[in-house]
Amino acid sequence: MRERLMLRSGNRKRFYLLLTLLLGLVLIRYSLLIPIPKVTFLGIILVILLLGDGDEILAMCLCCIPLQESIDFFYSVVFCMAVYLFKYHRRIRINMTVFPILLMVVWELLHCLGEDFGVMEFLTNMIPLLALAVFMSADVSDTDYDFIIRAMAFTTAMVCMSLLVRVMYLARFNILSAFANLQRLGMDAEETRKTAGISGGEINPNTLGILCVLAAAGLMQLRTVGRGTRKDLLLAAALLIFGSLTASRTYLVCLVFMLLLLLFSQKGTVKQKLKFLGGMLLVLLLALVVLYLVFQRKILEGIATTGLK
């Protein structure tokens, strides 16, 4: 089975080419403010799904999460679920993990009965849960999780890069001015987007920070079990730096928990564990240093304001 997964992992060029095209167009629309129609993104996603296997469909569905504010998230998830059911309906076996999800759907439906019930609003909230139920009911015994983790991490990093390019573009690529005016990575210059006639593209900094931690954790876990590469570590480091730029306390809390979980899952001698612990502390220190250097002025102003009060 391992040999079969390795063979499939080496044949993902088409997926990454189409995914890179999608991310590049997202960057052009939301960072350079060129109004590319959003239906173009749906078209590329649909091509990826139709040409891809089960792993690529699942990877594309997860890649839609960091892209949720840049694409039509509802229709993208519907496409992922529909294509997967069409291609692999024989893999679906209802199991116990589905029932908590269905209970959440019923609970939300009951919650809506006493209010102005909106069908589209209800479906928008429930479709991701239904997609989760479908994928959790599928036979995933031969799923290439390494590929899925890397695809998700790559997409998250590119979304962060797109947001950073937007800050640089609005500052006319003046680095000092860009970082001096940076609020939190993920926040958007709304008035600039409205002037350009473009909506979407921003993302909650706390959500972005959590996504960065999860993606980095997956890559570092691959390294822990001996299947990671240097590229995985470099991508994880970039994600942690991007996460620091969100200035999110949620990100820092999740980062600490991630490091602790990785420490307890680390195998080897005491010396190897201490070495791993030292590396994790270095990562945490780097995140705090980046956070301070970028937001130094705002941090000092906050301390001064607190002192005056």
Side-chain angles (χ1 to χ4, degrees):
M1 180 184 295
R2 186 64 193 164
E3 289 76 10
R4 187 166 65 252
L5 288 178
M6 291 178 65
L7 181 63
R8 285 159 52 189
S9 296
N11 191 28
R12 304 293 189 187
K13 292 182 180 179
R14 181 182 59 203
F15 174 86
Y16 278 115
L17 180 63
L18 291 171
L19 180 61
T20 303
L21 174 62
L22 172 64
L23 294 171
L25 292 177
V26 167
L27 185 147
I28 291 173
R29 174 181 169 88
Y30 295 109
S31 298
L32 305 183
L33 304 179
I34 298 176
I36 297 174
K38 292 180 73 172
V39 69
T40 306
F41 306 151
L42 278 177
I44 297 175
I45 291 172
L46 188 58
V47 171
I48 292 175
L49 297 174
L50 293 175
L51 297 179
D53 57 17
D55 293 341
E56 292 176 352
I57 295 173
L58 180 54
M60 188 65 250
C61 189
L62 291 178
C63 289
C64 289
I65 297 174
L67 288 168
Q68 59 186 278
E69 301 297 337
S70 302
I71 61 176
D72 289 315
F73 181 68
F74 173 80
Y75 292 108
S76 299
V77 175
V78 169
F79 286 169
C80 292
M81 182 171 57
V83 173
Y84 191 88
L85 287 172
F86 176 76
K87 284 187 171 183
Y88 303 104
H89 57 275
R90 294 183 179 179
R91 292 187 183 181
I92 305 299
R93 297 290 185 274
I94 301 298
N95 54 52
M96 292 300 296
T97 60
V98 174
F99 291 104
I101 300 173
L102 295 180
L103 286 175
M104 291 176 64
V105 174
V106 174
W107 175 257
E108 286 295 328
L109 183 59
L110 291 174
H111 184 70
C112 294
L113 292 179
E115 304 174 0
D116 294 333
F117 183 74
V119 176
M120 283 304 300
E121 183 179 356
F122 174 76
L123 290 177
T124 300
N125 293 329
M126 291 302 103
I127 282 296
L129 288 176
L130 293 177
L132 179 62
V134 168
F135 290 124
M136 292 189 70
S137 301
D139 180 9
V140 292
S141 56
D142 62 343
T143 299
D144 187 358
Y145 291 106
D146 295 9
F147 158 69
I148 294 173
I149 290 171
R150 289 183 175 114
M152 170 71 170
F154 174 69
T155 303
T156 304
M158 289 300 294
V159 168
C160 293
M161 180 61 70
S162 175
L163 293 167
L164 195 57
V165 169
R166 180 188 304 176
V167 174
M168 297 291 293
Y169 179 76
L170 295 177
R172 299 182 182 276
F173 293 97
N174 185 323
I175 297 178
L176 295 178
S177 175
F179 282 97
N181 296 322
L182 179 65
Q183 297 291 326
R184 296 171 64 187
L185 190 64
M187 288 185 172
D188 193 37
E190 186 177 357
E191 67 282 355
T192 305
R193 291 188 297 106
K194 287 183 177 179
T195 302
I198 293 175
S199 61
E202 74 282 357
I203 185 170
N204 187 296
N206 294 328
T207 302
L208 185 61
I210 293 172
L211 290 173
C212 287
V213 170
L214 291 175
L219 294 172
M220 294 174 72
Q221 184 63 25
L222 291 181
R223 184 71 174 180
T224 300
V225 298
R227 298 200 300 271
T229 64
R230 291 183 179 179
K231 292 181 181 179
D232 294 333
L233 289 180
L234 290 175
L235 185 55
L239 286 165
L240 294 177
I241 292 174
F242 285 136
S244 300
L245 295 178
T246 63
S248 169
R249 287 173 292 185
T250 305
Y251 161 76
L252 290 176
V253 172
C254 291
L255 177 60
V256 171
F257 275 104
M258 180 200 78
L259 296 177
L260 290 174
L261 288 173
L262 288 173
L263 176 63
F264 288 120
S265 65
Q266 176 74 12
K267 298 179 180 179
T269 63
V270 175
K271 183 178 179 180
Q272 290 174 326
K273 289 188 176 183
L274 289 176
K275 182 179 178 180
F276 187 77
L277 178 61
M280 291 192 299
L281 291 175
L282 184 62
V283 168
L284 182 59
L285 179 62
L286 176 64
L288 293 174
V289 169
V290 170
L291 184 63
Y292 178 77
L293 291 177
V294 175
F295 301 101
Q296 179 180 8
R297 186 181 65 182
K298 296 181 178 63
I299 292 174
L300 294 177
E301 288 176 354
I303 294 174
T305 303
T306 305
L308 290 175
K309 290 181 180 180

